Amino acid sequence: MRYVTLAVIFAVTVLLQRVALADELLVTPEDIAAEVGQKTVHYGTALRLKNVASGFHLHSHEVKYGTGSGQQSVTGMADNHDSNSLWTIKEGQGSEPRLYTQPVRCGDIIRLEHCLTRRNLHSHEDRSPVSGRNEVSAYGEDGDGDEGDNWELVCESQPKGELVKGNMSFHLLHVLTRRYLFTSRDLDFNARNCGRNCPIGGQLEVSGDRDRSGRTRWQITSGVFYIPKASSSSDEESSSSRDSHPDDEL
């Protein structure tokens, strides 16, 4: 009996140690947010963007609008881990190519390329299907589009030229139409406005709005961040600055 008791005590001790270790390794959304908040955003980073007011994420997929332009639809998605909510940040159409070592700054003209379909976040004067605002779509082939893909990154509290960090709030102003990227929980796709078998039911319309507001405010929630390699000497600076490596996905 003594040996059985000792064995049970040992087994319980090991189990408690494993539980404690699991608790230490558990990554919560708060942990991810804290880690993302420390990151400097570089060109080439793949990001998930959340609309602050609605809590929904910028999303796209191989579903075309049935009205307006007929281009690939862009919506707001509740799920925060869907692979169709990843967008690569890159330089604006007509700009000099940016390297992975170059940080994004407030006031930059950027494009957001949908990672899975390789179409760019786009807008124009066509009307959106639910609210009648400016339609937002995904446009182009293999990352090539036109000037309708350009957006100005307007930081909420920081001046132009400030480095963009993961914890900043910002607005995306469409350069050609001067409309802000907008969504709202009031503008969901449902059986009334999208049909009984709506492929995007429960998701939100994303559109361009004339006014800057809380519903045009966005934040980065996670992504794959590029961290430039540190050079060991000034002689190596020029060559190593061309290299970068992706950090773990957050």
Side-chain angles (χ1 to χ4, degrees), residues 37-232:
Q38 299 174 22
K39 302 293 186 185
T40 297
V41 179
H42 291 78
Y43 283 94
T45 298
L47 303 169
R48 287 187 181 91
L49 303 181
K50 182 180 73 174
N51 180 262
V52 175
S54 69
F56 279 56
H57 293 76
L58 188 66
H59 182 86
S60 191
H61 31 228
E62 293 278 7
V63 177
K64 298 185 183 300
Y65 286 121
T67 60
S69 69
Q71 294 172 6
Q72 182 172 303
S73 59
V74 172
T75 62
M77 178 77 161
D79 187 352
N80 64 352
H81 288 295
D82 195 296
S83 57
N84 273 306
S85 299
L86 278 170
W87 302 80
T88 300
I89 188 166
K90 57 187 186 179
E91 72 283 345
Q93 178 78 16
S95 301
E96 290 293 321
R98 299 292 180 93
L99 302 175
Y100 292 130
T101 52
Q102 293 179 274
V104 179
R105 297 180 182 275
C106 298
D108 279 2
I109 304 300
I110 63 166
R111 289 175 294 167
L112 290 172
E113 179 182 319
H114 188 243
C115 289
L116 292 189
T117 64
R118 302 218 49 211
R119 294 188 173 99
N120 298 320
L121 187 69
H122 182 89
S123 192
H124 37 231
E125 298 293 346
D126 289 276
R127 298 295 94 191
S128 60
V130 180
S131 68
R133 290 179 172 84
N134 284 43
E135 182 188 88
V136 171
S137 63
Y139 173 78
E141 295 294 336
D142 296 326
D144 292 327
D146 60 25
E147 290 186 350
D149 304 337
N150 285 346
W151 300 81
E152 181 182 348
L153 199 157
V154 181
C155 295
E156 175 80 4
S157 304
Q158 294 75 20
K160 285 187 176 183
E162 187 88 3
L163 293 176
V164 174
K165 299 281 189 178
N167 59 357
M168 288 182 178
S169 296
F170 53 86
H171 307 263
L172 291 170
L173 175 63
H174 190 247
V175 174
L176 292 185
T177 63
R178 310 307 293 173
R179 298 292 191 272
Y180 291 94
L181 191 68
F182 170 95
T183 194
S184 171
R185 282 182 175 266
D186 300 332
L187 301 173
D188 62 306
F189 289 99
N190 52 56
R192 295 189 304 276
N193 59 37
C194 187
R196 292 181 62 184
N197 298 314
C198 180
I200 51 178
Q203 298 177 32
L204 304 183
E205 177 189 85
V206 172
S207 60
D209 192 57
R210 184 188 307 273
D211 299 319
R212 174 173 158 175
S213 68
R215 291 184 289 182
T216 67
R217 189 154 59 97
W218 300 82
Q219 284 182 330
I220 299 166
T221 60
S222 61
V224 181
F225 292 80
Y226 280 88
I227 302 177
K229 292 179 180 177
S231 56
S232 58

Side-chain angles (χ1 to χ4, degrees), residues 1-13:
M1 180 64 69
R2 178 186 170 203
Y3 295 109
V4 173
T5 303
L6 290 175
V8 170
I9 293 173
F10 176 79
V12 171
T13 302

